Amino acid sequence: MANFLSLTVVFKAGNLNYGESTANIIGLKRLSFKGKSYSYISRQALRYDIVRIMNEEFGMPLTPVGNDGKVVQFEANATIREYPEIDLFGYMKTSGEGTRGKIRKAIVRLSDAISLEPWNNDIDYGNNMGLAVRGENLDNMIFQTEIHRSFYTYTLTIDLDKVGVDTNDNITLERDNRIERVKKLLDAIKILYRDIKGRREDLSPVFIIGGVYNSGNPFFYNKIELVFGGDSIKIKHEPINEILDRNFNNQTIKDHTYLGYLNGIFSNINEINNLEENRKLPIEEFFDTLKNNLTNVYN
């Protein structure tokens, strides 16, 4: 039976990913939906920061890179045994002109992180006056930067059975190594942050839902919406409750799902009532529970 870990995360941050600049305007990466604009963080940017955190905070070695005369890529002799990065996020390695390369698909799949609140054309005005006044006849450069502070959501899915297994190089890691790699990935998500334009933004979860399933479907992807009213912020509970009651392979989604939340952010966690109360946990306990469940997967 296949095992997949699927998580849908909500966090709060601002001004996280920029695209091309036009004249003196620095534009956010945005997409349109229901006639409105929403800022987003690309999955490539999320991957970069997850790998960076695993390296800087938990000592995971970065995979060496080189080139085959055409493109930058991972070194051909790098294997998943030494480098968890290519174990989790895959690789493509070529070894010469006209030679069929080795490809290993990512077993950790990420969506873009999309804002849950529309961008309302907020723009920051800036200049370099602090430097211009230090000399004579120096121009004061004016620039404008699109800004957006919002809740964001993204989904991550891991094919647990393929962690530590690479048929290209006939490698199968020991059980403890496989568990440790998934735990470090979960730890990186728990404390994720991003450095951008002189700021450090916290991307750690304020709400997270998911679990270990025998289907790779990202059940809660694109299902998170927020409702604002007065001083309260609510998570739209109806679609979540309906998904929790769905059945697949003679199992119910709620029987494999946990919910983690940060107190004081959302006022209606109790309305997600198709999930038993002992499965609604503080963020730290949520991650501890998932880690403990890994021992049942890699038995």
Side-chain angles (χ1 to χ4, degrees), residues 259-285:
L259 182 156
Y261 65 98
L262 191 65
N263 275 316
I265 304 296
F266 303 113
S267 62
N268 69 325
I269 298 298
N270 62 306
E271 291 184 317
I272 303 176
N273 50 27
N274 282 351
L275 194 64
E276 295 180 4
E277 289 301 315
N278 61 5
R279 288 178 172 266
K280 301 175 186 177
L281 309 169
I283 296 292
E284 186 71 24
E285 191 173 341

Side-chain angles (χ1 to χ4, degrees), residues 22 46 100 117 162 164 190 296:
T22 303
L46 283 175
R100 183 175 178 83
E117 304 166 68
K162 294 182 180 179
K190 183 174 66 174
N296 298 323

Side-chain angles (χ1 to χ4, degrees), residues 25-36:
I25 299 176
I26 305 171
L28 287 166
K29 287 190 174 182
R30 302 194 307 274
L31 54 81
S32 297
F33 180 63
K34 293 183 178 179
K36 298 180 180 180

Side-chain angles (χ1 to χ4, degrees), residues 36 49 53 63 68 96 124 134 141 154 171 202 213 227 252 254 268 273 291:
K36 298 180 180 180
D49 280 314
I53 293 294
T63 313
D68 66 349
D124 181 40
R134 297 185 187 184
M141 182 181 295
Y154 70 94
I171 294 174
D202 183 8
Y213 308 95
V227 179
T252 305
K254 64 183 176 183
N268 69 325
N273 50 27
K291 290 178 185 179

Side-chain angles (χ1 to χ4, degrees), residues 49-262:
D49 280 314
I50 290 172
V51 170
R52 179 182 59 80
I53 293 294
M54 293 179 74
N55 168 248
E56 294 178 0
E57 301 286 352
F58 306 114
M60 182 194 77
L62 295 177
T63 313
V65 298
N67 68 75
D68 66 349
K70 296 180 180 179
V71 295
V72 176
Q73 61 181 335
F74 295 119
E75 289 284 5
N77 60 357
T79 71
I80 70 164
R81 188 181 304 281
E82 295 84 15
Y83 301 106
E85 177 185 7
I86 56 176
D87 182 14
L88 300 175
F89 294 100
Y91 62 75
M92 181 178 70
K93 297 186 286 189
T94 59
S95 56
E97 191 70 29
T99 304
R100 183 175 178 83
K102 293 181 178 180
I103 298 175
R104 184 170 187 271
K105 294 182 179 180
I107 60 175
V108 176
R109 299 182 179 273
L110 286 162
S111 72
D112 298 331
I114 301 173
S115 68
L116 291 168
E117 304 166 68
W119 177 67
N120 290 316
N121 299 303
D122 295 318
I123 296 179
D124 181 40
Y125 174 91
N127 58 58
N128 67 339
M129 178 67 74
L131 296 179
V133 297
R134 297 185 187 184
E136 295 182 4
N137 301 318
L138 296 179
D139 290 333
N140 182 15
M141 182 181 295
I142 296 172
F143 60 91
Q144 297 179 81
T145 306
E146 293 179 350
I147 56 175
H148 188 208
R149 180 158 294 277
S150 172
F151 289 96
Y152 292 80
T153 184
Y154 70 94
T155 296
L156 172 146
T157 303
I158 311 170
D159 188 338
L160 294 174
D161 295 338
K162 294 182 180 179
V163 174
V165 179
D166 189 352
T167 56
N168 288 330
D169 295 321
N170 295 317
I171 294 174
T172 301
L173 299 182
E174 296 295 325
R175 171 181 179 272
D176 289 347
N177 287 339
R178 300 170 75 184
I179 291 175
E180 185 63 22
R181 289 185 176 184
V182 179
K183 284 183 176 180
K184 284 185 177 180
L185 177 63
L186 292 174
D187 284 338
I189 294 167
K190 183 174 66 174
I191 67 164
L192 191 62
Y193 59 87
R194 178 167 174 78
D195 293 335
I196 182 168
K197 293 189 178 296
R199 294 175 288 107
R200 176 161 288 180
E201 291 283 341
D202 183 8
L203 278 60
S204 63
V206 296
F207 177 92
I208 184 168
I209 188 168
V212 176
Y213 308 95
N214 62 10
S215 168
N217 187 295
F219 294 109
F220 299 97
Y221 175 54
N222 277 341
K223 307 301 190 300
I224 303 296
E225 295 183 41
L226 300 184
V227 179
F228 297 86
D231 295 328
S232 69
I233 306 172
K234 296 182 178 181
I235 289 185
K236 195 171 183 178
H237 63 276
E238 293 91 347
I240 296 177
N241 279 325
E242 183 175 330
I243 291 168
L244 287 167
D245 266 348
R246 287 182 183 173
N247 291 289
F248 69 98
N249 292 337
N250 297 317
Q251 298 183 7
T252 305
I253 292 175
K254 64 183 176 183
D255 293 334
H256 298 270
T257 299
Y258 296 88
L259 182 156
Y261 65 98
L262 191 65

